[in-house]
Amino acid sequence: MQNAAGTDAELALIDWLRTWKDPSSPHGVATINCSLFQDDRLHQFDAVVWTPTSCVVIEAETFTARQDGVLEIPLNGPWMVSGELARFAGAEKSTPLERSREHTFALQNYLAARGLGQRAVHGLGVIVPMPGAQIDVHQGWSDPSFDVIVTDDPHRVEQYFEMLAAKEHNLWTANDIAIAFRGLGILPYLPAPQDLLNEGFLGPIDVTLWHGGPTQAQAEQYAEEQAQLERELQNRGLVAPWYSPWKLYPRVDGDLDFGRAFLRITLAIGMIIAIVWVLWFVVTAVLTYGPA
C-alpha cells in the first residue's frame, strides 16, 4: 500500500484491507491515495485494488453528520438521503459516481494505450456511515461497472471482491501490475515479482519493468533463478515454451499453492484435449475427402 496518510475514509479502507490475511481472503495488491496524469488532467484516486481477475478504483467517503434513511443515487446530480443532501466529509463538489466515471475512464485509457485495453476497470463507492446510522441504498439504474456499498463492516467489501472474482475472466499478469504502478508514479511501492506470483498474478516476468525501483534486485534474482532452471531443462533436452502451464503458473519455492497447481493441471489437460481434437479433425478430413 502507498501513502497511509489520507482522509478518514481512506484510513478506514486501509485497516479493512489489512485484515485480508486468511488464505480464503481475496488476493491481490492495493494502493491508497495515488494519482494518474492522463488526457492532460491529474486524476486523484482514493484507492486502486488489483486482484488476479479484476481492477477496482475505489471512491471512499464518510459522513460529517449522522443521517438515516435511503441514500438515493441518481444517474446525474447530487446524492440525497431521504430528501436531504448527503453530507459527505470530502471537499469535492462532484459525487462519488461522477469521480468514478472520470477515474475509471482515465485508467482504462492509460491501460489501453499500453496494450491492456481488454482489461476491465470497475468503480466502487465505499461509503462509511456514522456509528449507529441506518442507511439503505436505492440505485434506480444499472451499471455493471459501478457499485456502491454503505457499510462499516469490512466483510462487505471482501464479499464484493469475492463476487467480482466469480464473474471476471480476464487474468492480470505481474507485468500488467508493474506497468500500472509505473503509470501511477508509485514504482517505489511495486512488489517483487515473487510476491505478485504468490498473490496469484500470472507470469512470465519482464524484469525491465522493475528497473529503477527498490525491488529491482529481487526481480533480477528471480530472473536468474528462472534462467538457471531453464539451463537445467536445456541440459536435459527439454525446454518449455512460453505458453507452457509451468511458465504461466510457475512453482514458487517454499510456497505450496494448490490453486496454482490446479490451474497448471487444468490448462495442461485442456491443451491435451485440444491436440486430440485437432488430430481427430485432420484424420476425419483425410478419410472423408482424401483419395479413395
Side-chain angles (χ1 to χ4, degrees):
M1 294 186 192
Q2 184 230 1
N3 195 359
T7 65
D8 291 340
E10 292 169 358
L11 294 175
L13 189 59
I14 290 173
D15 291 338
W16 294 356
L17 294 175
R18 283 175 174 161
T19 64
W20 296 0
K21 296 180 180 180
D22 295 333
S24 59
S25 298
H27 291 263
V29 60
T31 178
I32 306 294
N33 197 11
C34 58
S35 58
L36 171 68
F37 191 79
Q38 177 70 18
D39 299 328
D40 300 323
R41 282 191 57 191
L42 183 65
H43 299 269
Q44 189 72 33
F45 302 133
D46 290 342
V48 183
V49 179
W50 286 270
T51 72
T53 58
S54 62
C55 173
V56 180
V57 176
I58 298 180
E59 307 295 333
E61 281 285 8
T62 57
F63 285 89
T64 59
R66 174 168 175 166
Q67 290 183 278
D68 297 274
V70 178
L71 176 62
E72 297 283 349
I73 303 177
L75 188 59
N76 295 289
W79 291 16
M80 311 291 287
V81 178
S82 296
E84 296 182 358
L85 192 66
R87 297 196 286 273
F88 293 137
E92 297 91 344
K93 295 181 180 179
S94 57
T95 67
L97 173 60
E98 292 167 342
R99 296 197 299 275
S100 177
R101 287 172 182 163
E102 295 177 356
H103 295 165
T104 55
F105 187 69
L107 185 55
Q108 186 82 62
N109 283 348
Y110 170 81
L111 296 172
R114 286 148 184 84
L116 301 175
Q118 75 278 20
R119 304 290 195 267
V121 178
H122 297 269
L124 174 66
V126 176
I127 315 300
V128 183
M130 296 290 285
Q134 299 295 323
I135 297 180
D136 296 319
V137 176
H138 177 254
Q139 184 173 318
W141 48 275
S142 177
D143 184 350
S145 65
F146 180 75
D147 288 283
V148 176
I149 299 174
V150 179
T151 185
D152 55 4
D153 180 5
H155 186 60
R156 286 284 307 280
V157 179
E158 185 174 342
Q159 287 178 324
Y160 167 82
F161 280 93
E162 291 172 350
M163 176 271 298
L164 197 60
K167 296 193 307 182
E168 288 294 318
H169 303 290
N170 291 324
L171 299 180
W172 287 78
T173 69
N175 290 342
D176 298 341
I177 303 304
I179 291 171
F181 268 60
R182 282 183 169 273
L184 293 169
I186 51 175
L187 180 61
Y189 302 93
L190 175 63
Q194 300 93 320
D195 295 332
L196 292 176
L197 293 174
N198 289 341
E199 289 294 329
F201 296 100
L202 298 179
I205 299 297
D206 179 2
V207 180
T208 61
L209 293 172
W210 275 260
H211 284 180
T215 55
Q216 177 179 338
Q218 292 173 267
E220 291 176 346
Q221 178 186 357
Y222 172 82
E224 180 57 34
E225 292 172 354
Q226 295 303 304
Q228 178 63 30
L229 180 61
E230 193 160 323
R231 285 193 294 268
E232 293 175 359
L233 292 175
Q234 287 177 341
N235 292 335
R236 300 175 191 171
L238 178 63
V239 180
W242 68 266
Y243 52 82
S244 163
W246 284 263
K247 283 282 187 74
L248 294 175
Y249 305 99
R251 291 188 177 93
V252 179
D253 293 338
D255 178 37
L256 185 61
D257 190 332
F258 291 103
R260 190 178 291 273
F262 172 77
L263 292 173
R264 276 196 302 269
I265 295 171
T266 304
L267 181 56
I269 294 174
M271 287 181 172
I272 293 172
I273 293 174
I275 292 172
V276 171
W277 184 86
V278 170
L279 290 175
W280 173 83
F281 180 82
V282 171
V283 170
T284 302
V286 171
L287 293 177
T288 304
Y289 302 104

